[in-house]
Amino acid sequence: MVSSSSVKAKKAGVSGDDLVSFIPAKTWQGSKPGYFFGTVKKTGLGYHLDPHQQKEQTTSSATKAANNKHKMVSPVDLPSAKRAKRSVVFAEDQNTVRTIPSKNNSNNSTLLEEAEQAAKENHTKVIDLTSKGVQNAIKNLQKANEKNQIQRSQHPDEPELYMDSEVALYEAIAALQPIAADPTNLYPPLTNNKSNDTLWSDTFTQLCMHPNADVVSTLVALLLELLDPALLDTTLSSQHARNQPVLCLAKLTLQHLMELIVGNLKRLQQTTEKQEAQEGIGKGVQDVLSLMENLLEMDLTLQTTNDNDNPTFLVDSDDHSVAAKLVKETPFLSWLFLQIQDNTPSKDRALEILAFLVQREEVHTIHPNWTQLPAYKSALEEEEEEDNNNDQTEKQNDKTIDGMEILLVNGIAPFRKQQPANETEVEALENAVICIEAALTFSPPNVQAFLDAQGIELVLRCLKEKVHAGGVALKLLDFSGSHAVYQKAAEHLVAQANGLKYFFPLYMGRQLPKPAILSWAKKNNDNTNNKKKSAITKAKKEWLHAMDNQTIRILYALTRHLTDKSPQDAKQRLLAKFLDDDKCDRLVELLLSYDQKERLAEFKFWKSDVEEELDDALAKDAALEAKLRGGGDIFHRLGAIAGFCCVGSKRCHERILSQLSMKQSGIAVVKAALEEFISVLGTGNPQAEQLQVYYDGI
């Protein structure tokens, strides 16, 4: 540890004799006058007193000030003395970027002098935030890259001979971050100048393949800063001058760098593990994931801001999808699944990104079967390693990733008997369920994979244990698709998995899974204040509502798919459950309740000001949408379930009529639900034909 007196001596400019001989440091923390950074056998890694710099320090301070007076970028004074062979490691928090305002300010000269002085003291770069200043910064970056490439090629085994240029390269990249303050005026030098084509095809590409992973990480951090979706003005068209520079930069990034950036994920991950610089996910990996998330978010934003006559797309392909390009041209999807499988520190973040990514249908068009995802392989793997391990590499390439099994085993199964311990675990569980739900919705082969992996049995086990996972994963048993595999899954659910004994208690409002928030509240009951109690009460109410909705959807899917030819009399077993009077009574209760909800939602719409702004046709469509959101969708399904019971069982028919009469209603409410449901589905739809049979049979 350096004494306070030594620190004061250095700040005061005391001669080298008064400086300590060694300052231990695990990472590069900026240059220190009078020292060089490296490893010496006797003392280890850190800052060592440099006799060469002591001679240079004899120059007067006045001379130094004169020499540096008109410099826009402060130099990094690293000595050329021989040091131990070690790659440069940057501490980003010690190498910040400072900016100076445009020259339009009246106190420009004063601020410039202050910025330069601060840069010399903090070893930072300063750029002029004008178009010309950005152009100069780009040229400085290109020169720094060329110099570093030359020195690395000339002295591959002598890091001390290219260390200075590596630090200069790092600072030249970081110096561009402040241009995010004004994309409209400062991005064009990066995107519009044809002479800057080499910046993307050569300089940035070379930086993505740089041997020092810290340089790659710095470039990704720059792109992350420049491609923040918040920089887009969603109130303006994508063609507007304020949005075009950001979108153009995003397009160039996708075109030139996306595959290389994703290819660096494994290398950045390994670098973090070796350095042990921080706990959890490394900054480089985190920045890559955030950058991909930003690009996906921008792509979604364009769907709402695009001009129909002259739309802007980030990807020049038939589907114009960033998600499709990402999973088709890079191993990003496979890398995400591997993080989940290996329970790495990146697991939770990978689940979050995956849940965002797989909700795009085109992703499932490219990878329809998640049991055969390609193995992860980086585009930056070293050729020597491939040659030495040719046979092993070929075997690895033959392997595939079973994404469905990974999500079930590593996403849901850990919570089949226990509650999530915190909100992070709840979010991870819910993201895993979202991923599987998207796979089951968009891809029939994944439904078969779900059956083969015993996904139904896993969800039923969670329901049996009454844990949070049971309530969250219940939606995975809603097999409402039209493909034959959905009918197979519904039949398996009843005939093989015996799922009815778990659904009907939920349908009756009993034996419900317990949400994790209630378990947390029970543990901390003494410390729960009124505000928390209110939040818990609201969460419980929403949870019960979700259980009702999801159970009704599942029962409707069963009535749709189970036929007289279903194995083990599955249809009759379902119908027999409704022979109990309390089941029919519950059905009527729910039917009338949701009828009122949809009517109220429609009434509120017509009373609002929205309908006045629409023509008659659009207003009717908007009113229908409001009804469906307000409870009409569930009301339709309850009507279909009632029709199934009335047509299939005379006893159920009589009980339902009796209960409707007692509540001053009639069979007309069931017919209204069926008629409206048929209208929504449209003629020629197999579901509509089945519902028409119910309607005619009542």
Side-chain angles (χ1 to χ4, degrees):
M1 180 178 293
V2 184
S3 65
S4 59
S5 60
S6 300
V7 174
K8 292 178 181 179
K10 286 185 284 183
K11 289 183 178 180
V14 181
S15 64
D17 295 337
D18 295 326
L19 298 177
V20 294
S21 60
F22 172 65
I23 303 174
K26 293 183 179 180
T27 60
W28 167 256
Q29 299 176 358
S31 63
K32 298 182 184 296
Y35 293 87
F36 71 88
F37 180 75
T39 302
V40 176
K41 291 184 178 180
K42 293 183 179 180
T43 53
L45 179 63
Y47 289 87
H48 305 270
L49 200 61
D50 189 349
H52 294 266
Q53 288 196 57
Q54 293 180 36
K55 295 180 181 179
E56 296 175 1
Q57 289 176 358
T58 57
T59 307
S60 66
S61 57
T63 304
K64 289 182 181 178
N67 292 336
N68 292 323
K69 182 176 181 180
H70 300 289
K71 289 186 178 180
M72 293 296 293
V73 179
S74 63
V76 177
D77 189 16
L78 287 179
S80 59
K82 186 175 181 180
R83 305 176 182 86
K85 298 179 180 180
R86 182 176 176 85
S87 297
V88 181
V89 181
F90 302 117
E92 296 189 17
D93 58 339
Q94 299 295 329
N95 289 272
T96 57
V97 177
R98 292 177 58 86
T99 64
I100 62 174
S102 174
K103 293 181 179 180
N104 294 331
N105 293 343
S106 58
N107 59 347
N108 181 57
S109 59
T110 304
L111 292 175
L112 178 58
E113 291 177 2
E114 292 177 356
E116 289 179 347
Q117 183 62 31
K120 287 186 286 184
E121 295 175 357
N122 297 320
H123 311 287
T124 59
K125 284 186 174 294
V126 182
I127 65 171
D128 184 5
L129 291 184
T130 62
S131 179
K132 185 175 181 180
V134 175
Q135 291 176 6
N136 291 335
I138 292 172
K139 292 178 181 178
N140 181 51
L141 170 60
Q142 292 174 317
K143 291 179 180 178
N145 178 57
E146 292 175 1
K147 182 177 181 180
N148 181 248
Q149 293 283 346
I150 293 173
Q151 291 187 359
R152 270 187 166 269
S153 62
Q154 292 177 342
H155 312 285
D157 299 324
E158 299 178 282
E160 65 274 9
L161 297 181
Y162 59 73
M163 183 181 294
D164 290 3
S165 66
E166 204 125 302
V167 175
L169 176 60
Y170 165 84
E171 293 194 342
I173 299 170
L176 287 169
Q177 287 193 11
I179 70 173
D182 187 6
T184 304
N185 297 314
L186 301 182
Y187 280 21
L190 280 173
T191 59
N192 295 343
N193 194 343
K194 292 184 178 180
S195 63
N196 280 337
D197 288 346
T198 57
L199 175 67
W200 292 91
S201 61
D202 293 340
T203 305
F204 282 166
T205 300
Q206 291 171 3
L207 292 175
C208 283
M209 297 185 290
H210 198 281
N212 190 338
D214 284 344
V215 172
V216 180
S217 180
T218 307
L219 176 63
V220 173
L222 169 64
L223 294 173
L224 179 62
E225 183 76 14
L226 301 184
L227 295 174
D228 188 340
L231 296 174
L232 292 177
D233 190 339
T234 56
T235 63
L236 301 174
S237 166
S238 59
Q239 292 292 327
H240 196 276
R242 290 179 59 181
N243 288 332
Q244 273 297 300
V246 180
L247 295 176
C248 187
L249 186 67
K251 189 172 183 178
L252 287 169
T253 301
L254 288 165
Q255 180 181 349
H256 294 281
L257 307 180
M258 184 183 70
E259 185 176 1
L260 292 173
I261 291 174
V262 173
N264 272 288
L265 276 168
K266 185 176 181 180
R267 187 156 69 109
L268 292 171
Q269 201 170 24
Q270 292 172 340
T271 302
T272 301
E273 292 172 357
K274 290 179 180 180
Q275 293 177 356
E276 296 181 351
Q278 54 186 316
E279 296 181 359
I281 183 172
K283 186 180 185 303
V285 174
Q286 174 68 26
D287 285 350
V288 172
L289 296 179
S290 297
L291 178 60
M292 296 300 113
E293 187 177 32
N294 285 358
L295 292 170
L296 290 168
E297 188 175 340
M298 284 187 182
D299 196 29
L300 289 176
T301 302
L302 283 180
Q303 295 181 9
T304 58
T305 61
N306 253 335
D307 184 349
N308 294 330
D309 297 330
N310 187 23
T312 297
F313 299 108
L314 297 182
V315 177
D316 294 328
S317 62
D318 294 337
D319 52 24
H320 305 294
S321 169
V322 172
K325 182 178 179 67
L326 191 57
V327 301
K328 187 176 182 179
E329 299 181 9
T330 77
F332 188 60
L333 190 65
S334 299
W335 185 88
L336 293 175
F337 275 110
L338 288 179
Q339 306 315 299
I340 303 168
Q341 175 181 278
D342 298 337
N343 289 309
T344 68
S346 308
K347 175 184 175 180
D348 294 342
R349 188 73 171 108
L351 278 168
E352 183 182 356
I353 300 294
L354 186 63
F356 186 24
L357 180 65
V358 299
Q359 293 186 63
R360 300 296 297 269
E361 187 174 359
E362 55 269 24
V363 172
H364 303 275
T365 303
I366 298 169
H367 294 295
N369 189 347
W370 280 8
T371 63
Q372 298 178 359
L373 294 173
Y376 174 81
K377 182 180 179 182
S378 170
L380 300 177
E381 290 181 351
E382 297 184 18
E383 295 183 1
E384 294 183 2
E385 184 176 343
E386 292 180 355
D387 294 338
N388 295 336
N389 302 282
N390 188 41
D391 295 337
Q392 183 178 356
T393 303
E394 289 181 359
K395 292 180 181 179
Q396 291 177 350
N397 291 339
D398 293 337
K399 293 182 179 179
T400 56
I401 297 174
D402 190 339
M404 183 62 68
E405 183 177 357
I406 289 173
L407 289 172
L408 290 172
V409 173
N410 298 84
I412 298 178
F415 306 105
R416 66 188 183 278
K417 290 185 179 181
Q418 63 183 17
Q419 296 285 47
N422 49 53
E423 292 182 0
T424 300
E425 291 190 353
V426 168
E427 185 177 358
L429 170 62
E430 292 176 349
N431 283 332
V433 171
I434 290 172
C435 294
I436 299 176
E437 182 186 18
L440 300 180
T441 301
F442 294 119
S443 176
N446 283 327
V447 179
Q448 184 61 52
F450 184 71
L451 293 177
D452 295 340
Q454 296 187 328
I456 290 178
E457 287 75 9
L458 176 59
V459 176
L460 294 179
R461 177 59 183 273
C462 295
L463 288 173
K464 180 181 178 181
E465 298 294 338
K466 302 178 187 177
V467 292
H468 187 92
V472 173
L474 185 61
K475 65 178 72 175
L476 301 181
L477 304 182
D478 178 11
F479 301 114
S480 299
S482 300
H483 194 277
V485 73
Y486 293 101
Q487 181 178 4
K488 180 180 178 181
E491 292 173 344
H492 179 93
L493 177 60
V494 176
Q496 281 79 38
N498 197 19
L500 294 181
K501 72 176 184 180
Y502 299 103
F503 294 141
F504 274 90
L506 300 180
Y507 168 75
M508 297 301 294
R510 300 191 296 263
Q511 299 182 21
L512 298 175
K514 189 175 182 180
I517 189 172
L518 296 185
S519 300
W520 304 339
K522 186 176 181 180
K523 291 180 181 179
N524 303 286
N525 190 40
D526 296 336
N527 298 325
T528 302
N529 55 35
N530 292 333
K531 187 176 181 180
K532 289 183 179 179
K533 286 182 179 179
S534 177
I536 292 171
T537 301
K538 181 180 178 181
K540 184 178 180 181
K541 184 178 180 180
E542 293 175 351
W543 179 265
L544 295 176
H545 180 69
M547 291 297 99
D548 278 346
N549 286 3
Q550 200 55 61
T551 304
I552 292 167
R553 290 178 180 278
I554 293 172
L555 289 176
Y556 166 70
L558 295 180
T559 64
R560 176 187 173 190
H561 288 305
L562 298 183
T563 67
D564 294 333
K565 296 181 180 180
S566 296
Q568 300 183 28
D569 297 326
K571 179 181 178 180
Q572 286 68 30
R573 290 168 63 179
L574 174 62
L575 194 57
K577 288 289 185 179
F578 285 99
L579 293 178
D580 295 336
D581 290 345
D582 59 342
K583 305 296 192 304
C584 287
D585 296 350
R586 174 67 171 166
L587 179 58
V588 171
E589 176 190 347
L590 290 170
L591 184 68
L592 296 177
S593 173
Y594 277 91
D595 181 33
Q596 291 180 351
K597 289 181 180 180
E598 72 149 7
R599 290 175 184 274
L600 180 61
E602 184 181 24
F603 174 77
K604 288 182 177 179
F605 171 80
W606 290 114
K607 292 289 289 184
S608 68
D609 297 333
V610 177
E611 61 92 11
E612 296 179 359
E613 301 173 0
L614 304 173
D615 58 38
D616 292 341
L618 292 177
K620 289 181 179 179
D621 291 340
L624 177 60
E625 185 178 351
K627 285 178 64 177
L628 294 176
R629 287 199 311 267
D633 186 48
I634 300 299
F635 173 65
H636 294 163
R637 283 164 170 74
L638 286 166
I641 296 172
F644 170 82
C645 294
C646 290
V647 172
S649 169
K650 183 178 179 180
R651 178 177 173 179
C652 289
H653 192 177
E654 293 175 350
R655 184 67 183 182
I656 290 173
L657 284 175
S658 173
Q659 287 297 306
L660 287 171
S661 178
M662 288 178 60
K663 296 180 181 295
Q664 300 180 348
S665 184
I667 199 66
V669 69
V670 178
K671 285 192 170 184
L674 290 171
E675 187 175 13
E676 195 169 77
F677 201 179
I678 293 170
S679 175
V680 170
L681 293 172
T683 57
N685 187 295
Q687 290 184 71
E689 294 175 359
Q690 185 182 40
L691 295 173
Q692 188 65 49
V693 173
Y694 296 157
Y695 185 88
D696 296 338
I698 296 177

